[in-house]
């Protein structure tokens, strides 16, 4: 609201009063400065909830509000004038007084806006190390953060987080020789080390699989497929069925034709689980020729609710299996509940995930090269290397090593691919172009979500962000790491396919942490050639690099990769593999103050928000055993 518009409003109000009653001054509309819905109810430009008066004209600054309130009071005082002026002298005197009042009011309002303008300038021109203009909009996220290098060598950041990024750069430059906080590279060792792996223990006889055959064609990416495989193993045991080695569905998103044997060791999988269930590579000849869809043996995700209980399968699927001899599950995404489920079946699910699924030698050997270079060719293998790449690859790593001390690294999973961004329904500052691009993507890949938007009123992007339902942007991720105290020299391995917005989206991250690497940096084109066009196999390399890291940071705790990685680190880590899980709701509340918050306060609040997610806890009821393996079915307590 400008002083000019306010003067015009005052002038119009005076004219309106004159036309209404020549000898009196009256307020035509009742003004409720507390924001009552009674104020300007008929005006579409005013929120029914907030209901600001017309003197505010949509603005919400403190000085403007006080000016409007004072103006309203002054005009309200004038309504107490007599209705009929009997003396001409009194009328002239009154008109003079009214003019004086208008002049005083105009001067006061102008003074308030001058103070308001000065205060805003001081907030926007806050300087730490270098001059940085703060963002004009604290409710949206910049699509790009540009880093420019002026002649003096200082780096200037633009965008919504420009000011905070500059503060972070200044803090990292000042503290590059300081020791990092002790808990950055540590878990709460004593309570965490009280748990040890024990899902490999069995207490039952092998299942003969005599009731028929279960086939599964799993959808999604490698991590969703991994969960589907483990659930299929449990289902085969539950129904006393023989499991056919699962197949993976081709996805228009992932565009990968890899099958189970291209990623996992098939023979090892079959042999390791032989004491639990019977597994075969193909259906017997007499069943191969059947049209499974025609005979009603195909079961899709439409037929099975998410997290269905074992009783559902016993009641609805077992009769089909007994009658048709084969059931084919297509999709099978998250279709088996975590609770309630018998103890031994839950343990079997853990046994499959943590013990039965070993990557093929091609992936293990390339991953070993990746870990070797991340550890700077150290002779000391990481704590989890043996489980991830196998003893042969570890022996080769040691034989090639040329230094004794291993270099530490932090793995960061940036879950900011276009599918995640589009499905979130959040906004990331790209304006109309971004909105059109994401909507076009939804129409192709998430048609159900597109239809839902037409029929239901969904939460606004601002509401989703405040509730912590939006993925952290790369800019928010780097600010979190800087606030936690990671040194500028920290080596950061970034996992994640094709960040939305391209490599330029990593500009701020690379600027603050120059020792940033990816698998594409560490492996030659010849070493990556066997994995070209196989996104699932490339994702397996990321899985191994993240799981073996000295510290792991996720940006979205709901991500399957982050869940599986953090659970694997818990299961085999012995309390020495810390994981950083951001509380996105609390971080959203902190980031929204990016225009004014001081760096020290920002550090304190971020550290508190992350520290609260780092405590050791057993698996909450109905939560994933892959993410929370600290439960009696998967791990045993030593205390």
């Amino acid at each position: 609201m400008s002083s000019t518009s306010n003067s015009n409003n005052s002038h119009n109000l005076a004219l309106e009063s004159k036309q209404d009653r020549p000898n009196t001054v009256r307020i035509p509309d009742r003004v409720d400065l507390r924001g009552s819905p009674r104020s300007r109810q008929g005006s579409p430009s005013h929120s029914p909830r907030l209901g600001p008066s017309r003197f505010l004209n949509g603005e919400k600054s403190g000085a403007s509000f006080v000016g409007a309130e004072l103006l309203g009071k002054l005009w309200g005082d004038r309504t107490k004038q007599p209705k009929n002026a009997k003396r001409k002298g009194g009328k002239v005197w009154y008109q003079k007084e009214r003019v004086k009042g208008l002049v005083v009011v105009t001067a006061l309002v102008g003074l308030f806006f001058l103070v308001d303008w000065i205060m805003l300038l001081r907030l926007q021109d806050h300087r730490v190390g270098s001059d940085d203009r703060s963002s004009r909009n604290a409710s949206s996220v910049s699509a790009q953060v540009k880093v420019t290098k002026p002649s003096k060598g200082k780096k200037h950041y633009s965008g919504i987080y420009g000011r905070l990024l500059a503060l972070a750069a200044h803090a990292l430059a000042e503290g590059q020789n300081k020791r990092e906080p002790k808990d950055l590279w540590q878990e709460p060792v004593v309570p965490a080390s009280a748990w040890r792996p024990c899902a490999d223990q069995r207490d039952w006889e092998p299942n003969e699989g005599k009731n028929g055959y279960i086939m599964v064609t799993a959808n999604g990416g490698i991590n969703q497929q991994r969960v589907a495989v483990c659930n299929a193993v449990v289902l085969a045991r539950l129904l006393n069925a023989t499991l056919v080695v699962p197949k993976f569905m081709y996805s228009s998103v992932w565009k990968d034709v890899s099958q189970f044997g291209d990623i996992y060791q098939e023979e090892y999988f079959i042999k390791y689980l032989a004491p639990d269930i019977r597994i075969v590579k193909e259906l017997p000849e007499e069943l191969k020729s059947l049209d499974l869809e025609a005979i009603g043996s195909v079961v899709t995700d439409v037929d099975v609710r998410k997290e269905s209980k074992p009783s559902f399968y016993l009641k609805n699927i077992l009769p089909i299996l007994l009658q048709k001899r084969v059931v084919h599950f297509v999709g099978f995404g998250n279709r088996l509940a975590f609770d309630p489920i018998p103890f031994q079946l839950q343990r079997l699910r853990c046994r499959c995930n943590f013990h039965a699924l070993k990557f093929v030698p091609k992936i293990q050997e390339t991953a070993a090269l990746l870990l070797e270079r991340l550890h700077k060719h150290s002779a000391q293998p990481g704590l989890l290397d043996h489980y991830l790449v196998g003893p042969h690859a570890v022996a080769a790593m040691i034989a090639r090593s040329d230094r004794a001390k291993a270099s530490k690294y932090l793995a960061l999973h940036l879950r900011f691919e276009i599918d995640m961004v589009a499905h979130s329904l959040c906004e990331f500052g790209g304006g109309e172009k971004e909105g059109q691009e994401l909507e076009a993507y939804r129409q192709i890949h998430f048609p159900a979500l597109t239809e839902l938007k037409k029929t239901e009123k969904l939460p606004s992007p601002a509401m989703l962000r405040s509730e912590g339902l939006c993925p952290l942007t790369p800019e928010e991720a780097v600010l979190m790491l800087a606030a936690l105290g990671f040194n500028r020299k920290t080596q950061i391995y970034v996992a994640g396919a094709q960040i939305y917005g391209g490599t330029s989206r990593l500009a701020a991250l690379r600027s603050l942490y120059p020792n940033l690497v990816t698998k594409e940096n560490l492996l030659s084109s010849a070493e990556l050639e066997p994995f070209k066009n196989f996104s699932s196999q490339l994702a397996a390399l990321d899985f191994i690099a993240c799981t073996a890291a000295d510290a792991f940071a996720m940006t979205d705790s709901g991500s399957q990769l982050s869940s599986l990685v953090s659970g694997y680190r818990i299961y085999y880590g012995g309390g020495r593999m810390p994981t950083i899980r951001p509380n996105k709701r609390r971080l959203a509340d902190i980031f929204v103050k990016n225009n004014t918050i001081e760096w020290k306060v920002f550090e304190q609040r971020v550290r508190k928000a992350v520290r609260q997610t780092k405590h050791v806890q057993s698996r909450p009821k109905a939560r994933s055993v892959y993410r929370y393996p600290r439960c009696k079915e998967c791990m045993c307590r030593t205390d």
Side-chain angles (χ1 to χ4, degrees):
M1 173 178 176
S2 65
S3 58
T4 303
S5 63
N6 195 73
S7 300
N8 290 337
N9 286 340
S10 302
H11 181 63
N12 292 337
L13 188 57
L15 289 176
E16 189 177 353
S17 301
K18 284 183 178 181
Q19 293 169 0
D20 207 28
R21 194 180 291 269
N23 297 329
T24 61
V25 179
R26 184 176 63 84
I27 302 296
D29 293 334
R30 178 169 178 172
V31 178
D32 189 344
L33 294 174
R34 296 171 296 176
S36 166
R38 295 180 64 181
S39 174
R40 300 290 296 274
Q41 289 178 350
S43 174
S45 63
H46 289 72
S47 167
R49 183 172 64 85
L50 296 176
S53 93
R54 58 181 168 180
F55 298 108
L56 295 180
N57 202 24
E59 293 293 325
K60 298 176 184 178
S61 65
S64 303
F65 187 89
V66 173
E69 186 175 22
L70 180 58
L71 184 59
K73 288 183 178 179
L74 287 171
W75 276 106
D77 290 340
R78 297 301 165 201
T79 61
K80 297 178 182 179
Q81 295 291 337
K83 292 184 178 179
N84 297 315
K86 295 182 180 180
R87 292 181 300 174
K88 184 177 181 180
K91 182 178 181 180
V92 173
W93 173 86
Y94 165 71
Q95 290 177 342
K96 289 182 179 180
E97 286 296 307
R98 197 173 90 179
V99 171
K100 289 180 181 179
L102 284 171
V103 172
V104 171
V105 168
T106 303
L108 286 172
V109 171
L111 177 61
F112 278 117
F113 279 104
L114 178 62
V115 172
D116 192 31
W117 178 69
I118 292 173
M119 292 177 66
L120 286 173
L121 279 182
R122 291 187 64 187
L123 287 173
Q124 292 178 348
D125 207 27
H126 187 77
R127 299 182 179 185
V128 180
S130 60
D131 294 337
D132 302 287
R133 292 286 182 187
S134 63
S135 167
R136 295 181 180 178
N137 186 358
S139 63
S140 65
V141 180
S142 170
Q144 297 288 337
V145 172
K146 299 179 181 179
V147 183
T148 59
K149 295 183 179 180
S151 57
K152 294 183 180 180
K154 294 183 179 180
K155 294 180 181 179
H156 289 243
Y157 301 83
S158 63
I160 188 78
Y161 294 121
R163 174 180 171 273
L164 272 179
L165 288 168
L167 294 177
H170 182 75
L172 289 176
E174 281 193 339
Q176 60 183 345
N177 295 320
K178 293 181 181 178
R179 299 188 64 179
E180 295 171 325
K182 291 182 179 180
D183 62 346
L184 278 184
W185 304 92
Q186 295 177 359
E187 264 194 296
V189 178
V190 174
S193 59
W195 295 86
R196 63 176 179 82
C198 62
D200 56 335
Q201 298 177 6
R202 294 178 171 92
D203 190 21
W204 57 17
E205 294 299 319
N207 190 317
E208 297 177 0
K210 60 183 180 181
N211 286 343
Y213 293 85
I214 287 180
M215 299 175 63
V216 171
T217 301
N219 60 7
I222 182 175
N223 303 295
Q224 290 86 349
Q225 291 166 350
R226 186 184 184 105
V227 170
V229 169
C230 296
N231 288 342
V233 167
V234 173
L235 187 58
R237 176 74 196 203
L238 173 69
L239 302 180
N240 192 14
T242 296
L243 177 67
V244 180
V245 171
K247 295 186 180 298
F248 296 154
M249 188 183 300
Y250 178 82
S251 167
S252 60
V253 176
W254 304 105
K255 298 179 180 178
D256 188 352
V257 297
S258 298
Q259 290 301 316
F260 187 94
D262 299 314
I263 301 172
Y264 302 108
Q265 297 179 31
E266 220 173 68
E267 295 296 338
Y268 180 87
F269 175 74
I270 295 172
K271 183 178 179 181
Y272 187 84
L273 292 175
D276 302 301
I277 62 171
R278 180 170 177 253
I279 305 176
V280 296
K281 294 184 178 181
E282 295 180 340
L283 283 174
E285 290 297 329
E286 65 271 17
L287 297 178
K288 282 184 180 180
S289 59
L290 293 177
D291 186 338
L292 299 183
E293 187 171 1
I295 65 174
S297 287
V298 175
V299 178
T300 69
D301 282 354
V302 176
D303 305 313
V304 184
R305 293 180 60 183
K306 283 189 174 182
E307 299 191 1
S308 293
K309 299 176 182 179
S311 57
F312 169 87
Y313 292 96
L314 292 171
K315 179 180 178 181
N316 299 283
I317 303 301
L318 183 57
I320 300 175
L321 184 66
L322 293 173
Q323 182 182 5
K324 311 295 184 182
R325 298 289 297 153
V326 59
V327 172
H328 184 192
F329 290 95
V330 178
F332 207 56
N334 193 25
R335 259 41 193 190
L336 181 62
F338 289 103
D339 287 307
I341 191 169
F343 178 92
Q344 291 295 341
L345 289 179
Q346 192 81 287
R347 175 162 285 188
L348 176 59
R349 179 147 52 181
C350 293
R351 183 154 58 247
C352 178
N353 181 55
F354 297 115
H355 294 273
L357 294 174
K358 300 288 186 184
F359 293 112
V360 294
K362 179 181 75 170
I363 293 176
Q364 287 186 332
E365 290 165 7
T366 304
L369 291 175
L370 188 59
L371 296 180
E372 182 180 331
R373 290 162 193 175
L374 282 166
H375 287 306
K376 305 296 184 185
H377 304 281
S378 168
Q380 300 177 352
L383 188 62
L384 271 60
D385 292 5
H386 175 84
Y387 304 105
L388 293 165
V389 301
H392 297 296
V394 169
M397 290 168 60
I398 295 173
R400 291 191 299 263
S401 67
D402 57 12
R403 58 185 300 224
K405 187 176 181 180
S407 175
K408 292 192 298 186
Y409 73 94
L410 164 72
L412 172 65
H413 180 219
L414 281 178
R415 186 66 172 98
F416 201 70
E417 296 90 351
I418 189 171
D419 64 313
M420 178 70 171
V421 172
H423 194 270
S424 71
L425 295 178
C426 300
E427 292 179 354
F428 301 95
E432 185 177 351
K433 181 181 178 182
E434 175 191 284
Q436 293 174 350
E437 182 180 16
L438 296 181
E439 185 58 35
Y441 187 91
R442 290 186 200 105
Q443 290 176 1
I444 297 173
H445 300 288
F446 305 121
L449 187 58
T450 303
E451 291 302 315
L452 187 65
K453 287 179 64 180
K454 296 177 182 178
T455 58
E456 301 288 339
K457 185 177 180 180
L458 302 179
S460 67
M463 177 62 72
L464 291 170
R465 187 167 298 282
S466 67
E467 291 296 316
L469 298 177
C470 297
L472 291 187
T473 67
E475 297 82 34
E476 291 170 333
V478 72
L479 286 171
M480 177 185 72
L481 296 179
L484 290 175
F486 282 101
N487 195 289
R488 180 173 167 78
K489 298 177 182 178
T490 301
Q491 183 181 206
I492 299 180
Y493 176 86
V494 176
Q498 298 182 355
I499 301 301
Y500 179 64
T503 54
S504 61
R505 193 81 207 221
L506 297 177
L509 188 54
R510 291 185 184 277
S511 176
L512 268 62
Y513 291 98
N515 292 331
L516 184 147
V517 294
T518 63
K519 56 183 176 292
E520 290 77 13
N521 301 139
L522 295 171
L523 298 172
S524 68
S525 56
E527 290 165 341
L528 284 170
E529 180 63 29
F531 306 97
K532 189 177 180 181
N533 300 323
F534 298 107
S535 61
S536 292
Q537 297 179 45
L538 288 170
L541 297 178
D542 276 339
F543 177 89
I544 293 172
C546 289
T547 306
D550 299 276
F552 171 63
M554 63 181 75
T555 57
D556 180 48
S557 57
S559 159
Q560 282 281 18
L561 184 139
S562 294
S563 295
L564 291 170
V565 165
S566 60
Y568 210 96
R569 291 166 64 83
I570 289 172
Y571 190 78
Y572 286 115
R576 288 174 286 173
M577 305 296 285
T579 295
I580 297 167
R581 303 174 182 84
N583 184 321
K584 291 191 294 181
R585 178 184 289 181
R586 296 199 177 195
L587 287 181
D589 183 58
I590 301 170
F591 283 128
V592 79
K593 299 176 176 62
N594 72 85
N595 287 350
T596 56
I597 194 169
E598 295 297 330
W599 182 251
K600 286 292 183 184
V601 178
F602 181 76
E603 280 184 324
Q604 292 169 0
R605 293 194 61 185
V606 169
R607 290 181 186 183
K608 182 178 180 181
V610 173
R611 192 182 302 117
Q612 290 173 341
T613 68
K614 219 173 179 182
H615 61 277
V616 174
Q617 63 172 346
S618 56
R619 182 179 72 92
K621 186 177 181 180
R623 301 301 294 273
S624 167
V625 292
Y626 311 117
R627 182 180 176 184
Y628 299 102
R630 291 191 184 106
C631 59
K632 59 184 180 179
E633 296 92 344
C634 295
M635 303 182 74
C636 302
R637 292 188 65 92
T638 58
D639 54 1

